[in-house]
Amino acid sequence: MGGKKPKLTRILHSGLLYYARSLVLLAAGVRTRRRLIELAIRRGPVVIEFREGTRLAVRSLLEAWVAKEAILDDLYGLAGLHAGWRVVDIGAAVGEFSVPAARRIAPGVLHAYEPAAASVAVMRRNLEMNAVENVRLHEEAVAAEAGRVTLRDDLCEAVLYHVDERPGSVGTMVSAVDLKQVLDRLPGGRCDFLKMDCEGAEFEILLGAGASVLERIDRMAVEYHDFAADHGELVRCLESCGRSVRIAPSPVYREIGYLYSEAAIASPPARGEAASEP
């Protein structure tokens, strides 16, 4: 027992430092600090404006925090995106990644997947507010198999909604496509960059896709959730396809982290194809 207390102390200490630094980063990274105070008092939506230019309507402090992680922490690799890329965002929420990413890859096209109708409505507002026209928004879930799946939308925050394919699961039935269908919708059937934040569904989506589908994705950034499975399975699956894999655990949550993977030979951006997509 004596060894556990120092470890717990280290975890608490690192967590407090993370949140303290994050609050400073968020306060410095937005022009509309008063809006954050409003969110602490009541739920939104309110519009927050990041200093890099993105304006987002968010409904809660948690959504503002998730936007901070995407834009200010750059946990999904926004800085590495290039003009003309074909990008897919699975778990697009209110567009905290899709909006700034689409601006970076223009005239490339970003395909965003979000099954929660209320989040889709907010994302449409965010796309219009930022004058982003190169996003194809799909009100669908992505799952291991196409069809109808249950979206657990009875949770306190929309960013925690997730697909539950267990028999008898409670929620809203939504349409779903599989990863192959997602890629088939892209010019040339290939993806330059895939971002995933789908609250545990990443395991079934990627593990069930097969090597012939995964080889059509050049780069990916995935938030993994070990409460659904073990991210080691994803590592082994991707490495068996000849891909490089890098893991970045969350500084606070043991069950959450980020997986970055790149194909052995990533194809060059298809600038002309992406620009000509209808």
Side-chain angles (χ1 to χ4, degrees), residues 143-275:
E145 297 180 358
R148 302 281 290 175
V149 297
T150 301
L151 177 67
R152 283 291 310 276
D153 55 1
D154 57 336
L155 305 173
C156 60
E157 290 279 356
V159 294
L160 302 177
Y161 293 176
H162 59 271
V163 169
D164 190 341
E165 299 188 67
R166 296 174 299 179
S169 56
V170 177
T172 301
M173 295 298 294
V174 297
S175 297
V177 294
D178 60 25
L179 190 57
K180 180 180 182 300
Q181 289 174 305
V182 169
L183 299 177
D184 287 344
R185 292 172 174 174
L186 303 180
R190 295 194 63 87
C191 177
D192 293 294
F193 190 91
L194 168 66
K195 171 261 181 183
M196 297 181 70
D197 179 6
C198 43
E199 302 302 314
E202 64 275 5
F203 291 97
E204 292 185 351
I205 294 170
L206 293 173
L207 295 176
S212 62
V213 173
L214 295 176
E215 69 181 11
R216 295 162 61 186
I217 304 168
D218 288 337
R219 305 158 191 87
M220 65 176 71
V222 180
E223 182 177 282
Y224 64 78
H225 305 79
D226 278 352
F227 56 76
D230 182 347
H231 71 271
E233 294 183 59
L234 293 179
V235 173
R236 291 187 289 273
C237 172
L238 295 171
E239 288 182 339
S240 71
C241 298
R243 306 180 63 95
S244 65
V245 179
R246 179 171 64 87
I247 294 294
S250 165
V252 181
Y253 302 105
R254 295 174 59 185
E255 307 89 356
I256 296 175
Y258 299 87
L259 179 154
Y260 307 96
S261 177
E262 186 168 331
I265 303 177
S267 62
R271 299 177 189 272
E273 288 182 319

Side-chain angles (χ1 to χ4, degrees), residues 87-98 110-116 119-120 123 135-143 175-186 191 194-198 205 277:
V87 175
V88 172
D89 183 358
I90 296 177
V94 299
E96 66 277 354
F97 174 83
S98 288
L110 183 147
H111 286 251
Y113 289 82
E114 173 54 52
S119 296
V120 169
M123 183 170 176
V135 169
R136 306 291 178 263
L137 180 51
H138 306 271
E139 194 171 335
E140 297 172 304
V142 180
S175 297
V177 294
D178 60 25
L179 190 57
K180 180 180 182 300
Q181 289 174 305
V182 169
L183 299 177
D184 287 344
R185 292 172 174 174
L186 303 180
C191 177
L194 168 66
K195 171 261 181 183
M196 297 181 70
D197 179 6
C198 43
I205 294 170
E277 179 176 325

Side-chain angles (χ1 to χ4, degrees), residues 10-19 21-22 68-69 73 75 224 248-254 256-258:
R10 288 196 301 272
I11 292 172
L12 290 172
H13 180 67
S14 63
L16 290 173
L17 282 177
Y18 168 75
Y19 284 117
R21 291 168 180 163
S22 293
K68 184 271 303 184
E69 292 179 331
D73 295 333
L75 292 179
Y224 64 78
S250 165
V252 181
Y253 302 105
R254 295 174 59 185
I256 296 175
Y258 299 87

